[in-house]
Amino acid sequence: MLDACHLASIRGKLGLPQEQMAHLLGVSFASVNRWEGGQSSPAGPIRDLYLALDAAIKGGNSAEAILRAANNERGAFLYSLFRMAYSRPRRAR
């Protein structure tokens, strides 16, 4: 469930202000502000991005690694993010 508190928590774990979170997601500051204020909720691909960010964090990826990936071209960032979020951890040999 992505309620307003959860959205703000994801952003907080990344250490980003709302303006930078909006840039990361490719939306306006007003959208992030409304979502975190509970006036509306992200939908479609933006909801999927929030879920992937949350999964990447829960999967043990650091905020620094996620934000480093975000500095890449958009397609490369999305590939890296979804790989961090949903790939199986490798076993140590």
Side-chain angles (χ1 to χ4, degrees):
M1 178 93 180
L2 289 175
D3 62 16
C5 290
H6 194 177
L7 297 174
S9 173
I10 292 168
R11 181 178 56 79
K13 289 175 185 171
L14 293 172
L16 298 175
Q18 288 183 340
E19 294 88 357
Q20 289 180 355
M21 187 66 169
H23 180 72
L24 176 75
L25 297 169
V27 299
S28 69
F29 160 78
S31 292
V32 173
N33 188 267
R34 280 192 305 269
W35 298 332
E36 291 187 10
Q39 289 103 15
S40 62
S41 298
I46 302 302
R47 182 178 187 281
D48 293 341
L49 279 175
Y50 267 112
L51 292 171
L53 288 166
D54 191 40
I57 293 165
K58 287 179 179 175
N61 296 283
S62 68
E64 292 79 21
I66 295 167
L67 296 176
R68 195 170 38 251
N71 286 330
N72 295 328
E73 182 269 326
R74 186 73 174 174
F77 164 59
L78 295 175
Y79 175 79
S80 295
L81 175 62
F82 281 86
R83 187 169 178 192
M84 283 187 241
Y86 301 115
S87 68
R88 292 186 179 161
R90 295 181 182 170
R91 293 184 181 172
R93 292 182 183 200

